[in-house]
Amino acid sequence: MTQIPNPYKAALEQARPGVTAEAHALERALQGAMSAMAAGAWQSSVATEFEHGLKAKKSTLHTAGESAVQEINAKINSEHDMVDANSFQAHWAKFSAMARY
């Protein structure tokens, strides 16, 4: 069987910087509010609850970003550099395009 460079793996590798950038953006999403709260922008019992909620959400976003990066890295690492010319990986873009309709 004819082996070709794995286009699916190449596409994943090409997508990785975007996934990493989005993961970092998730981590920064609440930083402005966190900084304002730390600087004393709002002080009350309700503010304390709000700040605890912000911390929890920031943690959730951090975990989601880390998970996305780990998932794409794991998928890239699980793919072979060369695949059969008739494999799913060789034709994944066609399947992906069909799934949009």
Side-chain angles (χ1 to χ4, degrees):
M1 301 222 173
T2 304
Q3 294 279 300
I4 63 168
N6 187 341
Y8 182 62
K9 182 175 184 174
L12 289 169
E13 289 171 335
Q14 196 171 22
R16 181 175 20 204
V19 170
T20 301
E22 290 297 322
H24 292 308
L26 284 174
E27 289 184 30
R28 293 187 308 270
L30 299 177
Q31 193 55 48
M34 295 290 297
S35 295
M37 293 301 291
W42 182 22
Q43 297 177 350
S44 72
S45 59
V46 175
T48 301
E49 284 183 49
F50 180 76
E51 188 171 15
H52 290 302
L54 276 177
K55 288 178 182 176
K57 294 295 182 194
K58 185 175 180 183
S59 177
T60 299
L61 291 173
H62 174 77
T63 300
E66 279 187 342
S67 294
V69 171
Q70 289 172 358
E71 189 170 330
I72 196 164
N73 285 335
K75 187 61 181 166
I76 289 168
N77 292 335
S78 73
E79 289 293 323
H80 297 287
D81 291 334
M82 301 294 286
V83 294
D84 183 71
N86 292 323
S87 68
F88 159 77
Q89 291 87 345
H91 299 282
W92 75 272
K94 294 176 192 171
F95 298 130
S96 177
M98 287 190 294
R100 292 185 197 136
Y101 298 103

